[in-house]
Amino acid sequence: MALSMLRSGLLFLCLTTIHTCHGGGQNCMDKHQVVGVLRQMEKFLKGQEMRFTEGLRIMKSKLATLQNSVSKLPQADQSAAPSVCPSLEAPVHGTKFGSKYFISHEVHFTCSHGYHLVGPGTRVCQENGSWSGVNTICKDVSECSSNPCQNGGTCVEGVNQYKCTCPQSWSGSNCQHQTQTAPPEWSVMDDPAFSRRPRCAKVDRAQHCSCDAGFHMSGTSDNSICQDVNECEVYRLDQGGKLCVYECVNVPGSYQCSCPRGYKLLPDGRSCEDVDECLTQQHNCSRGTTCINTGGGFQCVSPECPRSHGNISYVKTSPFQCERNPCPMESRSCHLAPKTVSFHYLSLPSNLQTPATLFRMATAAAPGRPGPDSLRFGIVGGNSRGMFVMQRSDRQTGELILVQGLRGPQDISVDVDMSEYSERTFQAKHVAKVHVLVSAYDF
């Protein structure tokens, strides 16, 4: 319609122009000019008509595509979703709990005594109006279904009970005990304190006997007795490692762990811990001596300073420290003697994993005075026989390191020294006398 109106308007404009010229108006076009204008107008109108037609074609194509897409959409479900599920009945020999069957509600099932549940114990009403899971049933429990009879025994059903018929050489309620002529290695047979009469009861005219925990049945079914199981020996034969850290003691029906003298049993019932006699005042050290705790015991020590000789003498400044008295200016030997001598006592278990750092030695400068710029460490005495090395760990510290495993009990001494130098000039020497007290045990 718009294109038709445009065409009518342009034609009206041209006719008006021609009419005006015929009426004697000025500046009129001649016939050829009018024809040219009309032809240009016709071309313009044809172009507009082609564009308009193409636009209509594109619009129709898009409308058809949209209509096809809408037609492929799923039809809206006109029916309302179910709000309840069908009713459920209790299984035979069972009970149902729950009477509401709305969406998300649950129903539960249990079985009567002597029956077990097969299927889900709970079912839920789902949004599609069906119950989750499958139908639940209650199945009769067979006393023999779990195969309680061992070692080839035959299970016979009873009323809420069963009975095992045992083959020859086996006895017990479940045929679990072997009738032996020779007792096993782990059985205690020669001590009446480790034997008990079995507990027996008649079931369907048959006698069934059993033993308490920690005992096993011995003898024949007619003349049986409960013998103690030596758990310590069983554990050893099974090669299961150490049942007790130190020693296992068998007792009737069980076992106990014990610790050596000087140690106490930890709450786990199997591990041992050293008793610190010095801390608990369980020592007999006299006045003037100091108690040193060791693995399983203690020592009373009173270290002495080196003896005086020449211009060299020492004074005790603490129970474990001696310091050299001032030296005469002209005595070179006095200046080369240790300035301090200290005493150290280390308690170690047997078979300590090596290498292990046992002792550190360091220097400290007096306030306001520069410290040494070089240190040298070494082992200068004792009876260690190559068991230790002394090495520097940083600029001002040396370490005594154990490099060989030690088996106790033994007392090893090692003397280490630290020499101080300043601008390559000897300043002082310090000696530490280390006593290593090795326990007889590795805990």
Side-chain angles (χ1 to χ4, degrees), residues 41-58:
M41 294 297 292
E42 187 177 6
K43 290 179 180 179
F44 173 77
L45 291 174
K46 284 184 177 181
Q48 292 297 322
E49 186 175 9
M50 290 178 64
R51 291 189 187 92
F52 184 78
T53 303
E54 180 65 19
L56 286 176
R57 187 187 66 78
I58 293 173

Side-chain angles (χ1 to χ4, degrees), residues 83-85 100-107 123-127 130-131:
S83 58
V84 295
C85 291
K100 294 184 178 180
Y101 305 143
F102 297 106
I103 302 300
S104 298
H105 278 251
E106 297 179 352
V107 173
R123 300 184 69 181
V124 182
C125 182
Q126 304 176 112
E127 292 185 359
S130 65
W131 291 100

Side-chain angles (χ1 to χ4, degrees), residues 27-81:
N27 300 323
C28 291
M29 294 182 294
D30 59 16
K31 179 179 179 181
H32 295 288
Q33 290 176 326
V34 172
V35 171
V37 171
L38 290 174
R39 286 178 178 174
Q40 289 179 2
M41 294 297 292
E42 187 177 6
K43 290 179 180 179
F44 173 77
L45 291 174
K46 284 184 177 181
Q48 292 297 322
E49 186 175 9
M50 290 178 64
R51 291 189 187 92
F52 184 78
T53 303
E54 180 65 19
L56 286 176
R57 187 187 66 78
I58 293 173
M59 270 179 110
K60 288 180 179 180
S61 176
K62 288 184 177 181
L63 285 172
T65 302
L66 181 60
Q67 189 172 7
N68 289 335
S69 300
V70 172
S71 64
K72 292 179 181 180
L73 291 176
Q75 291 289 334
D77 191 0
Q78 300 299 323
S79 60

Side-chain angles (χ1 to χ4, degrees), residues 317-333:
T317 56
S318 74
F320 299 102
Q321 178 87 14
C322 297
E323 292 190 11
R324 189 189 66 205
N325 287 315
C327 294
M329 292 294 293
E330 69 280 1
S331 178
R332 175 175 173 79
S333 61

Side-chain angles (χ1 to χ4, degrees), residues 5-19:
M5 291 176 63
L6 177 61
R7 182 183 296 168
S8 299
L10 291 174
L11 182 59
F12 175 78
L13 177 62
C14 290
L15 292 175
T16 303
T17 303
I18 295 172
H19 178 74

Side-chain angles (χ1 to χ4, degrees), residues 119 130 159 203 253 286 292 332 395-396:
S130 65
V159 181
V203 179
S286 60
I292 299 295
R332 175 175 173 79
R395 182 179 177 83
Q396 293 183 321

Side-chain angles (χ1 to χ4, degrees), residues 38-327:
L38 290 174
R39 286 178 178 174
Q40 289 179 2
M41 294 297 292
E42 187 177 6
K43 290 179 180 179
F44 173 77
L45 291 174
K46 284 184 177 181
Q48 292 297 322
E49 186 175 9
M50 290 178 64
R51 291 189 187 92
F52 184 78
T53 303
E54 180 65 19
L56 286 176
R57 187 187 66 78
I58 293 173
M59 270 179 110
K60 288 180 179 180
S61 176
K62 288 184 177 181
L63 285 172
T65 302
L66 181 60
Q67 189 172 7
N68 289 335
S69 300
V70 172
S71 64
K72 292 179 181 180
L73 291 176
Q75 291 289 334
D77 191 0
Q78 300 299 323
S79 60
S83 58
V84 295
C85 291
S87 62
L88 290 176
E89 299 297 329
V92 180
H93 304 296
T95 306
K96 180 191 69 174
F97 298 92
S99 57
K100 294 184 178 180
Y101 305 143
F102 297 106
I103 302 300
S104 298
H105 278 251
E106 297 179 352
V107 173
H108 308 274
F109 305 98
T110 60
C111 291
S112 304
H113 180 70
Y115 296 86
H116 68 277
L117 202 65
V118 177
T122 298
R123 300 184 69 181
V124 182
C125 182
Q126 304 176 112
E127 292 185 359
N128 60 3
S130 65
W131 291 100
S132 64
V134 297
N135 289 336
T136 301
I137 62 173
C138 291
K139 191 175 180 181
D140 184 21
V141 175
S142 171
E143 296 291 336
C144 292
S145 61
S146 60
N147 299 318
C149 301
Q150 305 172 23
N151 304 305
T154 303
C155 185
V156 180
E157 291 281 357
V159 181
N160 294 329
Q161 62 183 359
Y162 67 92
K163 182 179 72 172
C164 291
T165 303
C166 301
Q168 190 175 5
S169 77
W170 292 96
S171 62
S173 60
N174 293 335
C175 305
Q176 73 273 30
H177 300 304
Q178 187 173 13
T179 305
Q180 305 180 52
T181 55
E185 294 182 53
W186 41 261
S187 178
V188 181
M189 303 291 292
D190 55 354
D191 191 338
F194 290 83
S195 299
R196 295 181 183 178
R197 299 298 302 175
R199 291 181 285 103
C200 299
K202 284 192 175 181
V203 179
D204 290 345
R205 299 180 181 179
Q207 181 167 283
H208 294 269
C209 299
S210 62
C211 296
D212 294 331
F215 291 82
H216 74 100
M217 191 78 69
S218 178
T220 64
S221 57
D222 297 329
N223 185 22
S224 59
I225 190 170
C226 294
Q227 299 287 352
D228 175 65
V229 174
N230 187 338
E231 292 83 1
C232 304
E233 189 68 13
V234 170
Y235 207 84
R236 185 188 67 80
L237 293 173
D238 287 346
Q239 298 179 346
K242 282 189 174 183
L243 186 60
C244 298
V245 168
Y246 177 63
E247 185 176 8
C248 180
V249 180
N250 185 55
V251 296
S254 185
Y255 72 95
Q256 293 177 354
C257 294
S258 67
C259 296
R261 185 175 180 180
Y263 292 83
K264 61 181 179 181
L265 194 65
L266 290 178
D268 65 2
R270 61 180 301 270
S271 304
C272 298
E273 182 182 63
D274 175 54
V275 175
D276 191 335
E277 292 85 358
C278 301
L279 182 64
T280 57
Q281 298 296 315
Q282 299 180 42
H283 62 86
N284 56 0
C285 296
S286 60
R287 185 181 296 274
T289 62
T290 303
C291 179
I292 299 295
N293 184 63
T294 62
F298 64 93
Q299 287 189 11
C300 302
V301 300
S302 180
E304 297 182 356
C305 296
R307 294 181 180 180
S308 300
H309 61 280
N311 296 321
I312 307 171
S313 62
Y314 290 86
V315 61
K316 206 167 189 179
T317 56
S318 74
F320 299 102
Q321 178 87 14
C322 297
E323 292 190 11
R324 189 189 66 205
N325 287 315
C327 294

